[in-house]
Every structure is written in C-alpha cells, then in structure tokens.
Amino acid sequence: MSVLMSAFATLVGGLADLLQPLFHAGSAAAAIILFTACVRLAVHPLSRAAARGQKARTKLAPQIAELRKKHGKDPERMQKALMELHAKENVSPLAGCLPSLAQIPAFFLMYHLFSSREIGGEPNELLGHSLFAAPLGHRWADALTGDGVFTGAGLVYVALFAIVAAVATFSFRMTKRQMAAAPTPAAPEGPDGRPLPGMGAMAKVMPLMSFGTLLTVAVVPLAAGLYMVTSTTWAAVERYFLYREMWAAGAAPKASGAARGAGGAEAA
C-alpha cells in the first residue's frame, strides 16, 4: 500500500508541478480536477455500456413480463429463462454498477493521500497546498473552527456545497425522468423474476441519493471532496447525453396518450 501511495503522490505532485505556471497556488487543486477528469474519461466506455444495457433492458420489459406470466410459479425456470434472454440479447444485469464501482479505488486513494502526514516515510508535501484559503488536507469542521462559515476557508466550502446542491438537483430530476421513462416494475426484481425484499422502498429513495454527496464533501478532506464534486458533475452531464434519447422516447407515448385523451374529451 505504501508503494502505491508513493506512486500516487508522485503522480498528483507531478501534475501540480506541470500546472503551477497556470494556476500557481491552486495547482494541486487543478491537478486533482485534471486527475478526476482522466479517471472519468477512462471509465466512460463503462458508462456507455451501462447506458446501452439500460436501454436494452427497457426494450426487454415486455418479454420479461411474458416470462413472468409463464414461469412466475417456478423460480428456477424463471431464472434460467431470464439468463437465456439476457445472453441472447447480450445484456448484463450488472452493467449499470460498473462505472460506480470503478470510481471507488481512485476516491479512496485521494482520501488516504490527503489524510496521511507521511508518504513512504517522508513528510506529505501535498498537505501544504490549498484551494484559495482552504488547505486540501483539512475538512469542513476545520474551516468552521477557524475562519467560520462565511470567511476564508468557509467560503470555499459554501461554494462547493452550492455546486453539489445544483448538481444533485439536476441528477434528482434526471433520475425521476429515467424511472418514469423505463417501463419497469416499481420494485426491482432478482434473477428469479420476483421482487427483491426492500427494493421497492429503495427505488423510491434512489432519486434522493444524489444529495448524499453533500454529506461526503462535508466530512472528507477537501481534496477528496473536490474529487467528488468533479466526478459527480461529470457524471451528471455524461448521463444527460447518454440517456436523453430514452427520455424523449418515454415522453412521446405520454404526449400522444394525453392528446388522445384530450381528443376523446372534446368528442364527448
């Protein structure tokens, strides 16, 4: 682990040195943003695959409903039929989890890097860098006990919280639109076609999970929080472009249904 952390510290430090002529004292913060963008760019193929999988699962919903009617009382046959259907259509039920899972190692590396006073037996020089008045190794609690909420480092966190809140609101609306556009059951199902316990409530809470980033940014070192803010902003924009066609397709039937309803009302 120490070797990995030393290599990661060298990478971030090298990026900071490279960006120093442009960003001066904020070069390390800029390096974190650049590193996060590179990670998101590397994970982008997984995000595209997840979007294709979600669209394919949406199209398979009628077939899955037929399988449920046919094998609903036989979980083993239902599981086998679903696996065959997914294999036939080249759809992975777990594809949507991969982009999020791929982010975990990078986030924890950033967290540990700016939580450690020493790296490889040497003082961690990255802790001397800051974003404006806020040291990258400090947390929101440090800003509150120091300058206060609306001065110095506190203002940096106010700005980050405002960005996170805006992105979370945008993500919340996108999640609601995605759930409305996908003709899937209210409770997600397991491989046997039966609803998973507790997942109905989870589906209702899921749109609110984007606001959890606010809590994360408040308790982790500022460098890790900056990683989270950059990553979630990228993810929200990426998701908009990847799923906009599915939302438009989901909105079209509703619009035509509303038009038919209005026409029937006028005829009546």
Side-chain angles (χ1 to χ4, degrees):
M1 182 66 177
S2 59
V3 175
L4 179 61
M5 288 301 299
S6 297
F8 185 57
T10 301
L11 172 62
V12 176
L15 288 175
D17 292 339
L18 184 66
L19 297 173
Q20 201 278 334
L22 292 175
F23 296 96
H24 305 292
S27 60
I32 293 170
I33 294 174
L34 178 60
F35 170 78
T36 309
C38 290
V39 172
R40 293 297 322 194
L41 192 61
V43 174
H44 180 68
L46 296 178
S47 300
R48 292 183 66 88
R52 288 195 300 268
Q54 178 62 46
K55 294 173 185 178
R57 286 192 296 273
T58 299
K59 293 179 181 179
L60 290 179
Q63 298 180 54
I64 294 176
E66 290 297 325
L67 291 176
R68 192 181 304 112
K69 292 179 182 179
K70 186 176 181 180
H71 304 300
K73 296 182 180 180
D74 190 341
E76 292 184 3
R77 292 193 63 183
M78 180 65 184
Q79 180 178 357
K80 183 179 179 181
L82 281 176
M83 290 177 65
E84 291 176 351
L85 179 61
H86 287 146
K88 178 182 177 182
E89 301 295 333
N90 196 26
V91 174
S92 172
L94 300 178
C97 303
L98 295 180
S100 298
L101 293 176
Q103 296 293 308
I104 295 176
F107 170 76
F108 276 105
L109 278 174
M110 191 68 68
Y111 176 87
H112 285 293
L113 178 59
F114 283 89
S115 297
S116 304
R117 293 187 177 277
E118 292 186 354
I119 299 294
E122 299 293 333
N124 186 357
E125 296 181 356
L126 290 172
L127 295 180
H129 291 266
S130 62
L131 176 61
F132 298 111
L136 292 175
H138 284 195
R139 292 166 168 79
W140 186 39
D142 298 316
L144 293 178
T145 56
D147 297 330
V149 178
F150 298 107
T151 56
L155 286 176
V156 175
Y157 280 94
V158 170
L160 286 180
F161 290 148
I163 295 172
V164 171
V167 173
T169 302
F170 182 63
S171 298
F172 171 80
R173 293 177 178 175
M174 284 196 298
T175 302
K176 296 288 286 186
R177 290 177 62 184
Q178 183 175 346
M179 294 175 66
T184 54
E189 300 174 344
D192 59 356
R194 294 184 296 181
L196 295 174
M199 290 304 292
M202 179 63 73
K204 296 179 180 178
V205 174
M206 191 178 300
L208 299 173
M209 295 180 66
S210 54
F211 291 95
T213 307
L214 283 166
L215 178 61
T216 303
V217 173
V219 299
V220 301
L222 177 59
L226 190 58
Y227 177 97
M228 285 292 298
V229 172
T230 306
S231 182
T232 53
T233 302
W234 178 297
V237 175
E238 179 183 66
R239 190 173 166 200
Y240 170 79
F241 285 104
L242 289 177
Y243 289 93
R244 66 187 187 280
E245 294 179 0
M246 189 176 76
W247 297 333
K254 294 181 181 180
S256 60
R260 287 195 300 269
E266 290 177 1

